[in-house]
Every structure is written in C-alpha cells, then in structure tokens.
Amino acid sequence: MTADQLDALQSKAPHSYLSSFSPLQVFQQHQNLIWQYQNDAVLICDDALHVLAVNPAFQRITGFCADEVVGQNVELWRSGLMNKRFYRQVAQTLEKNTIWQGEIWNRLKYGSVFPAFLTVCKQTVSPAVGCFVAIFRDLTAQKEAESHAHNHTRYDMLTDLPNRLLFAQSLTRFCSSEAPFALMVLDLNDMKTINTTMDHFTGDEVLCAVAHRLSGRLRGNDMLARIGGDEFALLVPGIVNRRQAEIYAKQVMGCFDWPFQLENQQLYISAAMGVTLWPADSKEPDLLLSNAEQALFEAKKLHVPLRLYNGELRRNLQSRNRLQQDLANAIKYHQLSLVYQPIWDITHQRVVKLEALVRWNHPERGAISPGEFIPLAEESGLIQGLGQWILLHACADLVRLRKLGFAELQMSINRSTPEFQTIDLDAKEWLTTIIDMGLDPKSIIFEITESLLMSNQESNRQRMRALRDAGCRIAIDDFGTGYSALSYLRSFPIDVVKIDRAFVRSIPEEKQECLLLDGIINLVNSLGMSLIIEGVETRDQLAYLQARQCAFIQGYLFSKPLAFDDLVTYLQRVSTHPV
Ligand code: C2E
Ligand code: MG
Ligand code: MG
C-alpha cells in the first residue's frame, strides 16, 4: 500500500478511528504483519469492527480491494452461514484469551462463500493502533482435497454409488427415523464366470452398466449403494408391507429383462434379490442386513430372482447350522458310509469300474442325500476332512476287493471343487494315501466337475497333470449340466467324460434330445476321451447307446449303488452270469 493510497483512505475512515489514528499510523505499526503474510489475508480493525487496513493477499482472496473495505464493518464479508451464537462465542473467547482460532465461512466480493482458517488477536500493547488483527487462510483447495478423499471413503470409485460404509450409516439413520422402509440386497449371478472367462474390464463395464440401470429405477428418496463386489443394496422408504415390497422389487429386477450393451458385445445378466422390512422383520440395522442376505441366499439357492424374508427363513438357517454341526460330528464319529455303483463295459459285458458314493444316516432324520450335505460340507469347510475320509475308505475297500479276486476294478471317486482347489499342486496328499494303501494310482479315477474347468486356473491344470503323471485318471462328472465347457475340454488333461443323466432321460423318444446326445458323443470321441453314460434306467436307452458304440454305462438298469457286502455278492453273481 502506498502513502497515496493511505491518504485516500483517510477520507473514508470512520470517526471512531479517525479521531485517534491516521491510516499511516496503522500502516506503520502493522507493516510487518501486512507485508509478512504473502498467502494469508491480514486485516486490522478497530474495536467497533471497522476495517483499518488490509494486505494484498486479502484482496487476492476475497476480491475486495482496500478502497472498498477500509472503513467498512467486517460484517461486509460475513457469509451468513455462521449464526449469532458463533460470533458471540468468538467475542467471549477474545475477551478472555485475546486470541481466537477456528474455521469460518466468509463471503467473496461477488457473493459466493469460501471456508477460511481464521486467527483473531486482540491488541493488548499500549498504545494499540487498531483493536483486532485478523489473519485468515483460504481453505477452499484444502477442503476440496479433503472432500475428494472423504468421497473415496464413502463412495465406490467404479460406479460412483455410495459404498458399504455410507450405506451402513444410512441404514442406521433410516432405522432411527422411525419411518417404515424396505431393505433390498441384490447380487449378480455368474459374475465370477464373467470375470474369469472374459476380462476384468468387461466385469467393471458390467458393474457400471448395472449400477446405471438400477439407478434409473429409483424414486426420489431411495438409496442405492454398492456394498460388495457384485452386491448392491437399496433402501426404499415408504414401503409398509410385503405386497408393496414385492411390486417394487419386481420393478427393479425388471431392469435385467433385456441384454446389456457393452462396448464390444451384448450380455444377458441376471441377479437375485433378498428383501426385508423395517419394522416388521426387525428394527436393528445388523439384523435387517442379515435378514436380507439370508433371503438373498435362499433366492440363489432356489435359483429364483426374488425372496422376501420371513421367520421361516431364519428357522431354516438355524436348522442348517444344526445340520452342519451334526455333519461335523458324523465325520468325527464315523457315522458316514460308502456305497458303490458298478460301471459296466457293455462291449465286454463286465463291471470295470465302481463309483464311490457317500451316505449319511442321520440318527434322527434318517438318510440324508449327498446332494444336500455335500454343499453343506463345502460351505462350512468340512469337505476337506470328509473327502479325505472318503478317499481312504474307498481305497481300503478297493484293496479288500482285490483280495477277493476283483483285481481289474478301478475306483472312481468324486471330488468337490473346493476340495480339489485346496490340495497342494503336486496332489501329494491324495497320491500318498493311494500309494500307502498299496494301490497303483492307475486304479483310481478322480471325478471333478465342469465348474473347476471354468475357473481356468493354471494351478488346477497343474494338479490334474500331477495326478495323471502318477497314473490316476481324471473324469469330468455331470458333463453338460454346467456352463458349456466344450472349449475347456481340449485344454485340460482329461481322460473320461461322464454324461449327465439329464441327457439320457428322454431318449430314444425325444428326437431333439437324441440329436444333442449324439453330438456330445461324437465330440468326446473325436477328442479321444472315453465316455461314461450315467443314469441309464431302461433297455431302450441301453440299446440306443449300444448302437452308438458307447462302451461304459452306469445306471439303475444295471445296479443301484450298493453297500460293500452287497457289492461283493453282485460282482460274484455278474462275473458268472453277465446281464
Ligand atoms: P454323481 O457323482 O453324478 O453321482 C451319481 C448320482 O446319480 C448318484 O446319486 C447315484 O445314486 C445317482 N444315479 C446313478 N444311477 C442312476 C439312475 O439310473 N437313475 C437315477 N435317478 N439316479 C442314478 P447320489 O449318490 O445321491 O449322489 C448325488 C451327488 O452327490 C453325486 O452325483 C455327487 O455329485 C455327490 N456325491 C456323492 N458322493 C460323493 C462323494 O463321495 N464326494 C463328493 N464330493 N460328492 C459326492
Ligand atoms: Mg460322480
Ligand atoms: Mg454324475
């Protein structure tokens, strides 16, 4: 500020300060302050809060030049965002401590507001020229950076939707607002397959497209969040009963009715949803979320798009937990057993292989199907222990059969995907068990499912190779029931393909089914793999398969799975009287 400018200011200065100081005096006493702060605004005012002087940074930050503010009351750039109580507290603090520091919103010359960090000192030296010195720093850039970082902690970077944290906070807020709402949790089907068979960019593209479509289905106050990889949640206020919830949920799920147009392709995506209501199902955020997830789990299990939570669901879950506990005990206390289903070589009219199938006779519930308890064992991590028990006992029974004179039989043993994926890469655990029992690994076939091929991991290929190098055979079980894994068949070391009984059920009557089966048989033959047809129940089916040179057949037509002693009787009978 030049002396000329200061003189000019003098004419505008209010009386309270004119009477005691000239602007030159203010400037002289505070020039250090005024020039020292290059980035922070400095302002000096009298006890009636009229401005005496400002520094150049003040002008840069607020847009007001010195001429416009000197002599004005500091209220000129109050933002209106701080209430009277705030200013009262500042005044009280200054009274006591002579210094106040804190954040404040001020107004720029052209009206917009900005955040500032303000330090106000009350002058105590005597004679004080000016009563207050205020120094403030513009916090706009810092706040923007903070809010950006803050957004990253509360918003999903991929879809820009609220993330799990913000969703959880909103759920708690919804619960405490005492107004009815529905919580809906939605999970995409087959997202894993998309990520493994395509690439992660496509996966990301799908998620963004889904987020966009779902957002388009929302009403004004609904909230949509991405709470996990392919899991979304909706908070829908105003839903008071199940009927309303169902109508709304169906309307949301309608967005999956037509294909998603991605950059290079069209994809049909489907999803499952679980729904729960506040306050009908629970008033607690945690319980509500767990209800919705249970309903979602149930929808997935039943392969339906939508499930509403109800008390029965919770009871089901409890009984599943109990069953899991029982299964753990059954494994521990050897309440499980194995049965064996013969696999026939119909060209040579003899049993050449056996499939080991596990059985559980529950003390209260009676026989429980492996179709029910194997998935339970997979979910609960019991499958590894169970699988090891099965391998050991199947090998032991094969040794017994050898001793009884059935020297050529091979044993086919089912392996769950999680079981296969958790053994070491050289499959030593399994090979050691087989060899320690005195068996040649050539007599063991491991049945795995298509889903294992779909994950297309090099580690799985390595395990298969290790088993094969040692002499074991690898079979693909239930072929054709999962995703079409035709291209994978070629790229994995596979010896045997077991065609699921679904393909055999309607032959020879249904012509379409016959064509499909013929196609699969030709394909497997042309890949040089052998073929086992499962679930053959009728003589017509057998004749049809015989005509197509299918050598290996398994099914109730020949035999149901048999307990060990019955198997021995059966094998003895058919070795002398082939069927
Ligand atoms: P899977 O491996 O495809 O086994 C064949 C299933 O089809 C067996 O059912 C068998 O009893 C049944 N089956 C065989 N022939 C016929 C037929 O002609 N008609 C009909 N309707 N069914 C027939 P099971 O024993 O209930 O086993 C079901 C599934 O449970 C098995 O399917 C397999 O995926 C799993 N499983 C069974 N035992 C084991 C095991 O020891 N370990 C593992 N990981 N899974 C097992
Ligand atoms: Mg099997
Ligand atoms: Mg099968």
Side-chain angles (χ1 to χ4, degrees), residues 2 61 87 96 98 120 128 159 191 201 204 216 242 253 343 385 400 427 477 502 520 542 563:
T2 63
I61 294 172
Y87 291 110
K96 261 194 276 165
T98 70
V120 189
T159 59
M191 198 58 203
F201 294 113
D204 286 355
R242 285 176 202 286
M253 294 298 272
I343 298 172
R400 284 163 75 195
D477 200 1
I520 297 177
L542 178 64

Side-chain angles (χ1 to χ4, degrees), residues 218-366:
L218 302 186
R219 303 169 314 179
N221 294 325
D222 303 346
M223 178 188 179
L224 171 69
R226 180 176 171 220
I227 59 170
D230 58 352
E231 205 169 313
F232 296 84
L234 289 110
L235 290 170
V236 192
I239 299 247
V240 294
N241 59 38
R242 285 176 202 286
R243 176 98 195 96
Q244 272 184 353
E246 197 173 341
I247 292 171
Y248 181 92
K250 280 187 178 155
Q251 199 256 330
V252 170
M253 294 298 272
C255 79
F256 295 99
D257 285 350
W258 70 98
F260 284 78
Q261 185 61 52
L262 307 182
E263 202 170 291
N264 299 318
Q265 61 199 314
Q266 268 198 345
L267 261 186
Y268 271 97
I269 317 253
S270 64
M273 186 189 255
V275 179
T276 190
L277 297 182
W278 187 101
D281 298 332
S282 171
K283 291 181 102 176
E284 298 300 318
D286 291 352
L287 271 180
L288 275 175
L289 191 57
S290 121
N291 290 349
E293 290 198 319
Q294 267 174 54
L296 170 67
F297 179 81
E298 193 72 8
K300 288 233 154 195
K301 206 171 79 182
L302 301 173
H303 303 288
V304 294
L306 178 64
R307 217 50 196 165
L308 267 71
Y309 175 83
N310 57 35
E312 196 189 323
L313 258 177
R314 183 168 294 283
R315 284 191 292 281
N316 283 350
L317 187 81
Q318 282 164 348
S319 89
R320 245 197 31 238
N321 288 343
R322 216 172 305 123
L323 200 61
Q324 233 162 38
Q325 189 53 51
D326 290 352
L327 179 60
N329 287 334
I331 298 169
K332 199 155 134 202
Y333 300 115
H334 308 299
Q335 292 166 2
L336 301 162
S337 62
L338 288 181
V339 289
Y340 300 97
Q341 188 172 31
I343 298 172
W344 278 76
D345 173 349
I346 47 173
T347 318
H348 301 98
Q349 296 264 309
R350 59 195 174 107
V351 177
V352 285
K353 310 174 202 291
L354 303 168
E355 178 173 3
L357 295 158
V358 64
R359 294 289 175 261
W360 179 15
N361 201 7
H362 190 278
E364 288 146 30
R365 287 186 46 187

Side-chain angles (χ1 to χ4, degrees), residues 338 341 355-359 369-371 374 383 390 414-416 419 447 477-478 500-501 534-537 554-557 561:
L338 288 181
Q341 188 172 31
E355 178 173 3
L357 295 158
V358 64
R359 294 289 175 261
S369 146
I374 295 286
I383 192 71
I390 291 167
N414 291 285
R415 299 283 91 171
S416 291
E419 198 181 347
E447 294 190 14
D477 200 1
D478 306 336
D500 191 72
R501 70 168 187 274
E534 296 185 273
V536 177
E537 294 183 352
Q554 174 182 1
Y556 290 176
L557 176 65

